[in-house]
Amino acid sequence: MSEFIPVLAKEEIAARVAEVAQAISNDYRDRDLILIGILKGAFIFLADLIRHLSIPVQVDFMCASSYGSATASSGRIKLIKDIELDIKNKDVIIVEDIVDTGVTLSYLVQHLQSLGAASVRICALINKLERRKIEVDVDYICHAVEKGFLVGYGLDYAEFYRNLPEVYHLKL
Ligand code: IMP
Ligand code: MG
């Protein structure tokens, strides 16, 4: 039987999302900000985050997959969907559900820089520390965890559990 151990309650998530949105609103006042959500995991986080922003913002999406098993990435990244907006000379923030090895994000940061973004920062719901392979600067973090496979609030296991309103550590 798999076990779901609560990690983040609804209220904790909501409070941190609002704080991070406030920080982004302060940092990007008078700038041309584009948020780029990484599908699919970031869709709920992004939806909540943008509703707390007090500055103008444009939104786009990207989808990358790291060929691998259900719970570990292989280290090879494939871009499945690119952005549609022109980000040349714009400030962009990548919005990601969870940073694990850092392989996906380092690839996406390089990709957005190659498209001419003025700046590229990272905002993640969860920074998972134990398995980092490539150092990435995560500028805005809602929560940090040491380890464990997490599901809920957009995060999936084999495409299930994204709909859970809270975040759980899934023990298979
Ligand atoms: P990275 O390239 O290893 O940093 O992997 C990042 C991607 O792996 C995330 O965008 C997630 O899609 C997935 N991932 C990593 N850890 C977890 C987890 O604990 N739960 C669900 N998905 C995860
Ligand atoms: Mg993801």
Side-chain angles (χ1 to χ4, degrees):
M1 268 294 281
S2 14
E3 229 187 309
F4 291 81
I5 300 156
V7 173
L8 296 172
K10 266 189 235 178
E11 299 73 20
E12 286 175 86
I13 298 171
R16 280 299 295 147
V17 169
E19 282 170 11
V20 166
Q22 179 70 58
I24 292 173
S25 298
N26 290 337
D27 294 350
Y28 287 84
R29 209 179 298 127
D30 307 320
R31 312 258 292 274
D32 289 326
L33 177 61
I34 301 181
L35 292 191
I36 299 177
I38 307 307
L39 296 170
K40 304 171 197 170
F43 79 111
I44 294 178
F45 176 40
L46 179 77
D48 283 344
L49 187 74
I50 56 172
R51 282 179 285 179
H52 285 284
L53 291 177
S54 56
I55 54 168
V57 64
Q58 291 176 301
V59 175
D60 207 340
F61 293 95
M62 265 177 141
C63 185
S65 96
S66 65
Y67 319 70
S69 68
T71 60
S73 108
S74 68
R76 286 189 305 137
I77 307 297
K78 182 167 69 168
L79 193 62
I80 297 188
K81 184 215 172 293
D82 205 345
I83 51 168
E84 288 159 32
L85 294 176
D86 181 3
I87 61 166
K88 208 165 178 40
N89 302 322
K90 301 279 174 73
D91 295 306
V92 311
I93 299 179
I94 299 175
V95 180
E96 174 66 303
D97 54 356
I98 185 164
V99 190
D100 186 12
T101 63
V103 173
T104 307
L105 274 176
S106 66
Y107 172 88
L108 294 176
V109 168
Q110 277 177 32
H111 177 66
L112 295 176
Q113 281 168 343
S114 77
L115 294 176
S119 69
V120 181
R121 281 190 179 171
I122 295 169
C123 173
L125 176 70
I126 293 162
N127 192 18
K128 188 159 76 178
L129 304 163
E130 188 194 54
R131 296 202 294 193
R132 197 60 47 88
K133 280 191 202 147
I134 300 184
E135 220 28 72
V136 284
D137 287 330
V138 188
D139 305 278
Y140 303 97
I141 300 168
C142 289
H143 296 277
V145 298
E146 200 47 46
K147 58 183 177 184
F149 194 80
L150 307 182
V151 296
Y153 196 74
L155 292 138
D156 75 304
Y157 171 66
E159 298 299 329
F160 285 99
Y161 312 126
R162 294 192 196 275
N163 57 307
L164 300 177
E166 322 213 295
V167 174
Y168 297 87
H169 176 186
L170 175 62
K171 282 195 149 171
L172 293 168

